Amino acid sequence: FNINGPGEWNNYSSTVTSVNITAINGIATLEFKSNNQSGTIWIIGFGLGISTGYLQLTVVPGPPYQLNLRMKQNYPSVIFADGFAETVVESVVYDYYGNLVTGATNTVLFSLSGEGSIRSGPETVKMVSIKVVDGKADVHIRSSTKTGQILITGESAGLIMSSTTITTQAGVAYKI
C-alpha cells in the first residue's frame, strides 16, 4: 500500500509512505489514522497479478477553536502616520490542530487601541463586528497622524482570542 496525503499507518512513523501487508484468505487489512491535518488522502493498494485499487479519503477540519490575527498577504505591518494610510488585518478561524475551518460561521469582534482606527464604510471606529466568510474576516486599519503602535484584538464567542500590532511611522519630510 502507498499513501499520498496527510496521515500515517498505524504503528509506523508519519514519514512512512509505503507499507507491505500480507493478505490472509485474500484479505489485506491495515489501520490508517489522520495526523490532524485536513486534506485529501489517497491510499493505493497493489500487488503482483491483481488490479491496483484506489481509495480517496477526505479529512475535514474539526470545530472552530481559535482565532489568528495576522496581516493579510501583501499588506504591510508598518504604515505612515498621515491619517490616510491603510492596511488590512485578517482573522482566521482554526480548529484545535491549526486547520482552517472554512465552514465557520462565527462573528469576530475587532477592537483597536493606539494610534489608528478601523475603517467601517465611510466611518472610522475603534470597534466593529464582522461575520466570518470561508473561515476568514478582514478589517481595514487606518493610521492617525501620530506615530506609535496600533493593537488590534479579535474575539469570538467560545474561541481563543488573538491580537496583532501595526506600527505607524513618520513619513518622508518635505522641504517647503
Side-chain angles (χ1 to χ4, degrees), residues 9-79:
W9 304 113
N10 193 36
N11 298 325
Y12 294 92
S13 76
S14 60
T15 59
V16 173
T17 58
S18 181
V19 64
N20 293 322
I21 304 288
T22 302
I24 299 174
N25 296 325
I27 299 173
T29 304
L30 60 91
E31 288 185 39
F32 170 82
K33 68 177 182 173
S34 167
N35 66 359
N36 303 320
Q37 292 180 342
S38 60
T40 301
I41 300 162
W42 283 94
I43 298 176
I44 305 164
F46 55 91
L48 295 175
I50 62 170
S51 298
T52 300
Y54 299 90
L55 175 64
Q56 179 183 0
L57 301 173
T58 302
V59 179
V60 296
Y65 178 75
Q66 61 189 345
L67 295 176
N68 180 14
L69 262 62
R70 63 187 185 197
M71 301 310 301
K72 188 164 183 163
Q73 187 173 0
N74 299 322
Y75 285 88
S77 62
V78 177
I79 57 176

Side-chain angles (χ1 to χ4, degrees), residues 38-162:
S38 60
T40 301
I41 300 162
W42 283 94
I43 298 176
I44 305 164
F46 55 91
L48 295 175
I50 62 170
S51 298
T52 300
Y54 299 90
L55 175 64
Q56 179 183 0
L57 301 173
T58 302
V59 179
V60 296
Y65 178 75
Q66 61 189 345
L67 295 176
N68 180 14
L69 262 62
R70 63 187 185 197
M71 301 310 301
K72 188 164 183 163
Q73 187 173 0
N74 299 322
Y75 285 88
S77 62
V78 177
I79 57 176
F80 290 120
D82 60 7
F84 299 101
E86 288 189 359
T87 192
V88 178
V89 171
E90 70 178 352
S91 176
V92 184
V93 179
Y94 289 111
D95 69 6
Y96 180 81
Y97 299 102
N99 296 302
L100 173 64
V101 183
T102 57
T105 58
N106 303 68
T107 297
V108 178
L109 174 64
F110 291 95
S111 57
L112 179 145
S113 62
E115 302 305 327
S117 58
I118 297 170
R119 185 170 54 85
S120 179
E123 306 293 320
T124 56
V125 296
K126 292 286 188 179
M127 189 177 295
V128 68
S129 292
I130 299 177
K131 181 119 172 129
V132 170
V133 176
D134 294 328
K136 298 178 181 180
D138 294 349
V139 66
H140 291 253
I141 307 300
R142 182 176 289 173
S143 70
S144 71
T145 56
K146 297 180 182 176
T147 60
Q149 301 289 309
I150 303 171
L151 176 66
I152 302 97
T153 302
E155 300 178 63
S156 186
L159 303 184
I160 296 173
M161 64 186 284
S162 181

